[in-house]
């Protein structure tokens, strides 16, 4: 395939190309984060019930993360493979990946909607909702779950837009929905006195608009890869490859919901609802932090995938070097805000003085390890771009399942107050996972370089 975007991937200067693709992705992720931030910002200021309602929404956050994780499973699994196929010049297989991914998203969304609606209230209680906060969580999720299909389509298929190099178009997907959400939230929450139900309805409407935009673009003449009915079938080998590569981002996001549940239940046990509310705020900030870092790496992913497929490993290595540098600098900047000026982001969510004071004190512990988090996320995204599913899956499991969750349960036995023992588990897990990821990345690059050289797939400069 020899379209202008492919020529850019193969020839344009790497720093300029990464930034041109990452800048719209960063803007899109900032705006995407507004879905939760705006909802919580308005909900936290509901007269009389704001803190309880905010806590209830935080309890429902794991379900939202699980839904997003399934979008990542298919979107982040199929899109990098499509980039590699485009690099190989195999347009038909790239479109087959798009069609199969779309059908998989529809099937998964139906299963998730039915399952969560059937067991919504028991799950929310299990995730840490108290009798005071359960009604708010139940009201919000009852409406949000109806829009599951729009969430999966907008998040999952948008990756195929970005994978083709249409970073600005992918940004529009998020901008359109977030703008509508920001406008509708105060109208429905306060103007129509719908409370948390209004926040959920605003989100559903916004995601529906994003989904419609994505479907329109991928069926139009503007896209290189077109969503066609003839490709909407699931071949076992295609599905297997998509799910294998998407398993790493799926684990990263789904285990985030598991981590949230573990934190919520542990903090509810030792600290009460106020600590759960503080964790809800910190989780939102951590999500923003992670999304911004990932957007840098996502800007580099199609460049890495295309040139890996075409055999130009020199450009692959150069792209990874610049991506790691950008992510490291950006990660340090975000870390500095979280550690030295935590009150600024916290006050966006609440005006409750007790909640602000508690969250600020906990953040100085919770975010300690994020100073090297940027490099870890950059390397994880590069593993995905290179099709290295097993290594990426291991890193995702290591940080949360092997390290973080056991530490949350173990450290309160040795650290007082017990709530500090729970919080300090986060920076310890972050640090060990980042160091392990860096070591594995160096080893993997050497192995891939040797393999490509031995098979004659490297381009000779």
């Amino acid at each position: 395939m020899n379209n202008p975007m492919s020529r850019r991937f193969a020839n344009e200067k790497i720093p300029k190309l990464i930034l041109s693709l990452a800048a719209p992705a960063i803007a899109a992720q900032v705006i995407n984060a507004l879905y939760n931030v705006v909802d919580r910002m308005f909900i936290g200021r509901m007269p009389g019930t704001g803190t309880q309602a905010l806590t209830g929404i935080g309890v429902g956050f794991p379900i939202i993360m699980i839904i997003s994780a399934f979008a990542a499973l298919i979107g982040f699994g199929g899109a990098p493979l499509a980039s590699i196929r485009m690099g190989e010049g195999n347009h038909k297989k790239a479109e087959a990946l798009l069609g199969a991914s779309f059908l998989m998203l529809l099937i998964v969304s139906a299963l998730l909607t039915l399952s969560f609606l059937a067991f919504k209230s028991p799950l929310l209680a299990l995730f840490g909702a108290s009798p005071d906060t359960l009604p708010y969580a139940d009201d919000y999720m009852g409406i949000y779950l109806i829009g599951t299909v729009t969430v999966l389509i907008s998040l999952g298929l948008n990756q195929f837009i970005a994978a083709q190099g249409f970073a600005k178009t992918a940004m529009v997907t998020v901008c359109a929905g977030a703008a509508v959400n920001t406008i509708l939230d105060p109208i429905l929450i306060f103007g129509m006195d719908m409370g948390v139900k209004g926040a959920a309805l605003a989100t559903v409407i916004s995601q529906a608009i994003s989904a419609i935009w994505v479907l329109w673009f991928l069926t139009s003449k503007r896209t290189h890869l077109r969503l066609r009915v003839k490709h909407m079938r699931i071949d076992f080998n295609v599905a297997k490859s998509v799910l294998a590569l998407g398993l790493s981002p799926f684990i990263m996001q789904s285990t985030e919901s598991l981590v949230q549940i573990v934190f919520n239940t542990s903090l509810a046990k030792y600290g009460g609802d106020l600590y759960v509310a503080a964790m809800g705020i910190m989780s939102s900030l951590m999500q923003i932090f992670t999304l911004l870092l990932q957007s840098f790496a996502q800007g580099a992913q199609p460049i890495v995938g295309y040139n890996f497929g075409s055999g130009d490993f020199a450009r692959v290595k150069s792209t990874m070097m610049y991506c790691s540098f950008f992510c490291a600098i950006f990660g340090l900047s975000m870390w500095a805000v979280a550690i030295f000026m935590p009150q600024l982001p916290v006050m966006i969510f609440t005006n409750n003085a007790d909640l602000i004071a508690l969250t600020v004190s906990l953040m100085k512990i919770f975010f300690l390890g994020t100073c090297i988090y940027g490099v870890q996320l950059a390397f994880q995204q590069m593993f995905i771009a290179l099709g290295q599913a097993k290594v990426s899956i291991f890193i995702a499991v290591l940080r949360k399942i092997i390290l973080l969750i056991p530490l949350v349960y173990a450290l309160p036995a040795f650290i007082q107050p017990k709530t500090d023992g729970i919080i300090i588990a986060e920076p310890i897990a972050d640090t060990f996972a980042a160091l392990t990821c860096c070591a594995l990345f160096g080893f993997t690059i050497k192995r891939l370089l040797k393999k490509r050289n031995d098979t004659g797939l490297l381009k000779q400069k």
Side-chain angles (χ1 to χ4, degrees):
M1 191 165 122
N2 192 29
N3 57 61
M5 191 56 66
S6 297
R7 289 194 294 272
R8 287 189 67 197
F9 288 164
N11 300 304
E12 191 170 306
K13 290 184 178 180
I14 298 296
K16 178 182 177 182
L17 185 55
I18 292 177
L19 292 175
S20 69
L21 295 174
I26 292 170
Q29 295 290 17
V30 170
I31 297 166
N32 186 46
L34 289 177
Y35 275 107
N36 283 320
V37 173
V38 170
D39 280 355
R40 296 186 183 203
M41 181 178 68
F42 285 115
I43 288 170
R45 284 167 169 75
M46 287 169 53
T49 60
T51 300
Q52 288 181 332
L54 186 64
T55 305
I57 301 305
V59 169
F61 190 63
I63 295 178
I64 296 174
M65 289 301 299
I66 291 171
I67 293 171
S68 298
F70 276 97
L73 172 66
I74 299 169
F76 283 104
L81 291 174
S83 290
I84 293 173
R85 298 297 170 262
M86 286 190 290
E88 294 171 346
N90 199 328
H91 188 78
K92 184 177 179 180
K93 282 191 175 180
E95 284 198 341
L97 282 161
L98 173 58
S101 297
F102 174 66
L103 185 55
M104 292 164 67
L105 287 167
L106 291 181
I107 294 171
V108 169
S109 65
L111 294 174
L112 289 175
T113 302
L114 294 174
S115 301
F116 281 131
L117 283 176
F119 302 103
K120 171 170 54 73
S121 296
L123 283 173
L124 291 170
L126 182 66
F127 293 169
S130 68
D132 292 331
T133 60
L134 181 58
Y136 299 102
D138 204 60
D139 284 346
Y140 186 89
M141 295 311 303
I143 294 176
Y144 182 90
L145 289 172
I146 297 172
T148 299
V149 64
T150 62
V151 175
L152 264 71
I153 289 175
S154 60
L155 294 181
L157 290 188
N158 204 36
Q159 299 308 318
F160 285 88
I161 297 178
Q164 299 175 66
F166 294 113
K168 292 180 180 178
T169 304
M171 180 181 69
V172 171
T173 302
V174 181
C175 290
V180 173
N181 187 57
T182 304
I183 294 169
L184 288 181
D185 258 338
I187 295 173
L188 297 178
I189 294 173
F190 300 113
M192 299 185 67
D193 198 27
M194 293 180 66
V196 294
K197 291 182 179 179
L201 182 59
T203 300
V204 170
I205 295 172
S206 304
Q207 291 284 11
I209 290 173
S210 295
I212 291 169
W213 163 260
V214 169
L215 290 174
W216 172 82
F217 183 82
L218 289 175
T219 54
S220 72
K221 293 181 179 180
R222 296 179 58 192
T223 181
H224 302 314
L225 300 179
R226 190 173 297 184
L227 183 61
R228 305 176 192 271
V229 175
K230 67 179 181 179
H231 290 314
M232 293 179 193
R233 60 181 185 272
I234 300 177
D235 176 87
F236 175 77
N237 290 327
V238 172
K240 182 181 177 181
S241 61
V242 168
L243 296 178
L245 190 55
L247 193 57
S248 172
F250 172 79
I251 291 173
M252 289 174 65
Q253 293 200 28
S254 61
T255 52
E256 191 66 37
S257 67
L258 180 59
V259 167
Q260 184 73 30
I261 293 166
V262 170
F263 271 122
N264 283 348
T265 53
S266 299
L267 289 172
K269 178 180 178 181
Y270 296 117
D273 283 349
L274 195 65
Y275 274 84
V276 176
M279 177 52 64
I281 293 174
M282 290 192 296
S283 296
S284 292
L285 292 173
M286 191 64 172
Q287 182 192 26
I288 296 170
F289 184 85
T290 301
L291 287 173
L292 290 173
L293 286 169
Q294 282 180 338
S295 64
F296 263 115
Q298 287 169 13
Q301 266 191 349
I303 310 170
V304 171
Y306 181 91
N307 286 285
F308 184 69
S310 66
D312 194 342
F313 213 82
R315 282 182 69 81
V316 170
K317 290 196 296 182
S318 180
T319 303
M320 292 188 294
M321 180 187 70
Y322 281 112
C323 176
S324 301
F325 174 76
F326 290 149
C327 284
I329 297 300
F330 192 76
L332 281 170
S333 301
M334 296 296 293
W335 169 82
V337 172
I339 298 300
F340 299 109
M341 295 179 287
Q343 66 279 3
L344 295 181
V346 171
M347 288 189 293
I348 295 173
F349 294 89
T350 181
N351 53 11
N352 183 304
D354 292 336
L355 181 55
I356 291 173
L358 176 63
T359 308
V360 165
S361 66
L362 295 180
M363 277 182 65
K364 293 180 179 180
I365 303 173
F366 190 77
F367 285 91
L368 274 175
T370 55
C371 54
I372 56 174
Y373 192 44
V375 176
Q376 178 192 329
L377 279 178
F379 287 168
Q380 273 186 276
Q381 295 299 317
M382 293 304 97
F383 283 134
I384 296 170
L386 293 169
Q388 299 299 299
K390 292 181 180 179
V391 183
S392 188
I393 290 168
F394 171 73
I395 294 298
V397 171
L398 173 67
R399 177 176 172 263
K400 296 175 183 176
I401 304 299
I402 298 176
L403 294 173
L404 183 55
I405 292 177
L407 286 171
V408 169
Y409 287 124
L411 291 180
F414 305 99
I415 298 176
Q416 297 295 329
K418 293 182 183 296
T419 49
D420 281 0
I422 295 169
I423 299 300
I424 204 171
E426 179 76 23
I428 293 174
D430 285 344
T431 302
F432 277 97
L435 293 175
T436 303
C437 185
C438 291
L440 282 175
F441 187 76
F443 172 79
T444 302
I445 292 303
K446 288 181 180 179
R447 177 174 58 82
L448 286 176
L449 183 60
K450 183 178 184 304
K451 182 179 179 180
R452 287 254 157 173
N453 190 46
D454 290 345
T455 55
L457 294 176
L458 287 178
K459 286 184 177 180
Q460 300 300 318
K461 295 293 184 183

